[in-house]
Every structure is written in C-alpha cells, then in structure tokens.
Amino acid sequence: CPAQQNNIQILFNTAYQSLSLSNAIFGIVLDIIGPRWCAVSGLLVSIVGNLLVSFGESTQADGIALIVGFALIGGGGMGIYLATFQFSNLFSKTALPCSVISGLFNCSGYIFMLLQLTNATKRSFFSLYAILAALGAVASFILYPMKGVTKAEPYPKIAGWSLGCATG
C-alpha cells in the first residue's frame, strides 16, 4: 500500500539521518566528556529508542513513537561506536580490536532478522534489546577510559568507578 511505503521511507530515512547527525554530535561529545560518558550516553539514548519502539504503536495515525525510537537507536549507536575507537587504543595492537568493533557495528543491523522468528514480537525483541543496551552501558562505565587515549601503555589503565569527566 502506498501509504505504508511512505511511512516506512520516513521511518528509515529519519533513522539514517539521525545516525549521520549523531556522528557529528558524538564526535564533539567525545572530546568534551570523554569516551566513557560518550559510550554510556549513547547507550542511554539507545535504551530510550528501544523502549519507544517496543511500546509504540504502528498504526497509520500514530507511528511517531516508532519514528523517534528508530532515530534514537541509530543516533545512540553512534555514541558507543565512536567511543569504542578510544577503547581499542587501550591495547598495544589496535588493529584487531578496531576491526572487530567496526565489523560488529556494521553488521549489527542483521540482529533485526531475529524478528522473523515465529515467537518473536516487537515488544519482546526491543525490550530485550533495551536490556542488552543497559548491560552495555554498565560494562562501558566500568571498562572505558575516562579520557582519550593517545598511546598504548604496557598495562591498560581502566578508570574503574570514577565519576569524573574528561575535562574535569
């Protein structure tokens, strides 16, 4: 149906544009608040997006939650993506972690193919994805460096439970 096709185009175009815009925004954020908070804030944005998609309606009259939700998922993903390159700098050989991170991000869209499983529902899938993003936020808070890393150390320094920012 043409109306559905138009709405799908709006949904995916908005999500893609959000991803592109977030690239610039999170690039600035990374310099200001550092890799840890860039990753965590990106995942928090993604959690909100997943919950909007999970509980949003997809009727002809009311699809704004889905549009905004997918935009937030795409945009939030860029926060974690950019911060992971600083994370990979914690290692003396950065090629493998950097290529794995980049490859996983580029293939992450395939996870949506799980929606084709017989018992998969939009609500359960995106709620589970929000939980996964929350676990990633906790892991990022623990593992990611507070400030940008410019050279590898013999033993990577992980800031642990410090709550500061890159500038503070």
Side-chain angles (χ1 to χ4, degrees):
C1 139
Q4 283 181 322
Q5 181 68 24
N6 187 44
N7 288 342
I8 289 286
Q9 287 298 98
I10 292 170
L11 181 116
F12 287 115
N13 284 336
T14 304
Y16 179 75
Q17 294 304 324
S18 174
L19 180 79
S20 298
L21 177 63
S22 294
N23 195 357
I25 293 170
F26 278 112
I28 295 167
V29 167
L30 183 61
D31 282 341
I32 295 171
I33 64 173
R36 173 181 291 174
W37 290 111
C38 184
V40 170
S41 63
L43 286 164
L44 292 175
V45 168
S46 182
I47 290 168
V48 172
N50 278 291
L51 293 175
L52 281 172
V53 173
S54 177
F55 295 102
E57 295 298 323
S58 59
T59 63
Q60 178 69 23
D62 183 25
I64 192 70
L66 296 180
I67 293 169
V68 172
F70 273 108
L72 291 175
I73 291 170
M78 191 51 69
I80 183 74
Y81 180 66
L82 290 177
T84 54
F85 292 105
Q86 282 296 313
F87 178 75
S88 69
N89 284 340
L90 291 172
F91 301 92
S92 60
K93 295 185 179 192
T94 61
L96 180 62
C98 192
S99 63
V100 167
I101 289 164
S102 183
L104 287 173
F105 183 80
N106 292 334
C107 293
S108 65
Y110 285 108
I111 194 87
F112 295 102
M113 306 257 322
L114 293 175
L115 282 166
Q116 296 179 359
L117 296 175
T118 308
N119 294 329
T121 65
K122 179 175 69 76
R123 181 160 290 164
S124 63
F125 177 84
F126 285 99
S127 294
L128 186 61
Y129 215 132
I131 292 168
L132 183 64
L135 293 173
V138 171
S140 295
F141 181 78
I142 294 169
L143 297 174
Y144 275 57
M146 187 67 76
K147 297 181 180 189
V149 179
T150 56
K151 64 178 184 143
E153 301 285 338
Y155 298 99
K157 295 177 182 162
I158 298 173
W161 293 98
S162 172
L163 292 173
C165 282
T167 58

